[in-house]
Amino acid sequence: MVNIKAVRKSNSGLKARPSGMVALFVGSTSGIGKGSVMQFAKYANAPKVYIVGRSKTAATALLNELERLNPQGTFVFIETDICLIKNADIVSDLIATKERKLDLIFLSTGFLSGAGRQETSEGIDTLCALSYYVRLRLIYKLLPLLSASPHPRVVSILAGGSERDIDIEDLQVRKDYTLIKAIRTCTTQTTLAFEELAKSYPTITFCHVHPGFVVTGILNKFTHTAKGMWTLPATLARWTFIPVVQLFGRSIEDAGEWGAFVSTSAKYPPAKPKQKDVGIALTEGDTIAQSTVVNDDGQGNGVYRLNNYGENVNNECDAILANYRQNHVGEKIWEETISVWERATKRREP
Ligand SMILES: NC(=O)c1ccc[n+]([C@@H]2O[C@H](COP(=O)([O-])OP(=O)(O)OC[C@H]3O[C@@H](n4cnc5c(N)ncnc54)[C@H](OP(=O)(O)O)[C@@H]3O)[C@@H](O)[C@H]2O)c1
């Protein structure tokens, strides 16, 4: 297993890599994404980084910090409400007009809410849009640019390794909505959708990461969504429980080091690398991670379910995924994802 020292050493190797990596970060205006874009900017050799967020004004301090960390870097902020498929399309079209290749998509949008199902104007649950539908739409639209990179990679920070049995007939979580049901549905869909994409795009690495417990604002924001009888316990938790458990969490700086590592290390090769060099060489004693599906020849599919130490997860969820693969659930999920996008797109037509 790699430790934080080895991760920092690996990341510092980014400086010696060819210049001009192009990366897209969505959800990096705070928390894990912010830590990751900062570490990536600190180490990368003259990168071009697109950052998508809701408010350029709120991101001014981050943009200034990124420019300070890497004066050779170019940092482009795209201001949009990224819970909409429409806006994901605008972002990807914009990047496609400006770039010839894209090396990295790093996705970490999300929130926790006790307010139940909240639909976007496109009819998708907002949590599911930010955790899955918009993330996958960006990847899907940017596949041509990713395919033009020598070693393309997608990293989605959600809950890789925590896939569960989900209601296949209710992938949009319309029935009996709970926060846990929504997160589980998005988590399981992410891994299976990545596996579907990897079949057609074997030169791309797909990493679905569980970041562990990271001290971000997500829990405090969650307590503010409590309603009715939950308001008092939530307020108490904000002043007592949360500050205590946060003592045991990972800082966003360290989470960012791990984020940059998963984004750049050769530990995570795609199924069919275009070239021998797929990332920063492994540190001594480290080994290549295991893909979610490995064929009889030992060839992995280039999809990784990773824990907070960047290691592939082997747990009780493997059997759930194996059963889903056998029953072609990934294909169903992908078809349903496309129809959800189509319905969302049609909604905006006059
Ligand atoms: N933190 C943990 O311990 C932990 C553990 C397991 C999984 N995760 C998952 O990791 C991901 C990142 O979590 P985090 O802790 O880094 O969260 P965070 O600090 O709250 O950051 C979330 C990001 O999503 C954006 N966002 C939130 N709601 C949005 C909305 N309605 N529209 C557009 N953008 C929105 C935020 O933008 P603004 O800056 O504009 O608010 C921010 O960039 C989430 O999916 C979370 O569930 C986190």
Side-chain angles (χ1 to χ4, degrees), residues 26-34 52-55 58 80-83 107-112 126-127 130-131 135 157-159 183 209-219 221 252:
V26 188
S28 68
T29 46
S30 56
I32 299 159
K34 181 177 178 180
V52 176
R54 295 189 272 196
S55 160
T80 190
D81 186 356
I82 201 63
C83 67
L107 303 156
S108 59
T109 42
F111 63 90
L112 301 174
T126 310
L127 179 80
L130 290 170
S131 308
R135 293 189 190 194
I157 305 292
L158 190 60
I183 291 173
V209 182
H210 193 309
F213 178 42
V214 183
V215 182
T216 68
I218 201 165
L219 279 182
K221 287 182 238 172
I252 65 162

Side-chain angles (χ1 to χ4, degrees), residues 208-271:
H208 180 189
V209 182
H210 193 309
F213 178 42
V214 183
V215 182
T216 68
I218 201 165
L219 279 182
N220 266 330
K221 287 182 238 172
F222 179 41
T223 61
H224 285 286
T225 68
K227 295 238 160 34
M229 61 183 264
W230 294 106
T231 311
L232 183 62
T235 308
L236 287 175
R238 191 159 60 244
W239 295 110
T240 55
F241 175 71
I242 294 175
V244 173
V245 290
Q246 284 187 336
L247 295 173
F248 303 96
R250 185 177 270 176
S251 67
I252 65 162
E253 289 75 19
D254 281 3
E257 292 277 8
W258 286 99
F261 176 77
V262 171
S263 300
T264 57
S265 168
K267 189 174 171 76
Y268 316 101

Side-chain angles (χ1 to χ4, degrees), residues 104-159:
L104 171 68
I105 301 183
F106 192 99
L107 303 156
S108 59
T109 42
F111 63 90
L112 301 174
S113 170
R117 195 172 195 282
Q118 297 167 288
E119 281 193 3
T120 67
S121 57
E122 295 178 332
I124 304 175
D125 171 55
T126 310
L127 179 80
C128 294
L130 290 170
S131 308
Y132 176 73
Y133 289 104
V134 167
R135 293 189 190 194
L136 268 290
R137 181 68 170 190
L138 285 162
I139 298 165
Y140 176 73
K141 291 276 287 182
L142 289 164
L143 284 168
L145 273 194
L146 284 166
S147 301
S149 161
H151 38 71
R153 194 166 293 189
V154 169
V155 178
S156 190
I157 305 292
L158 190 60

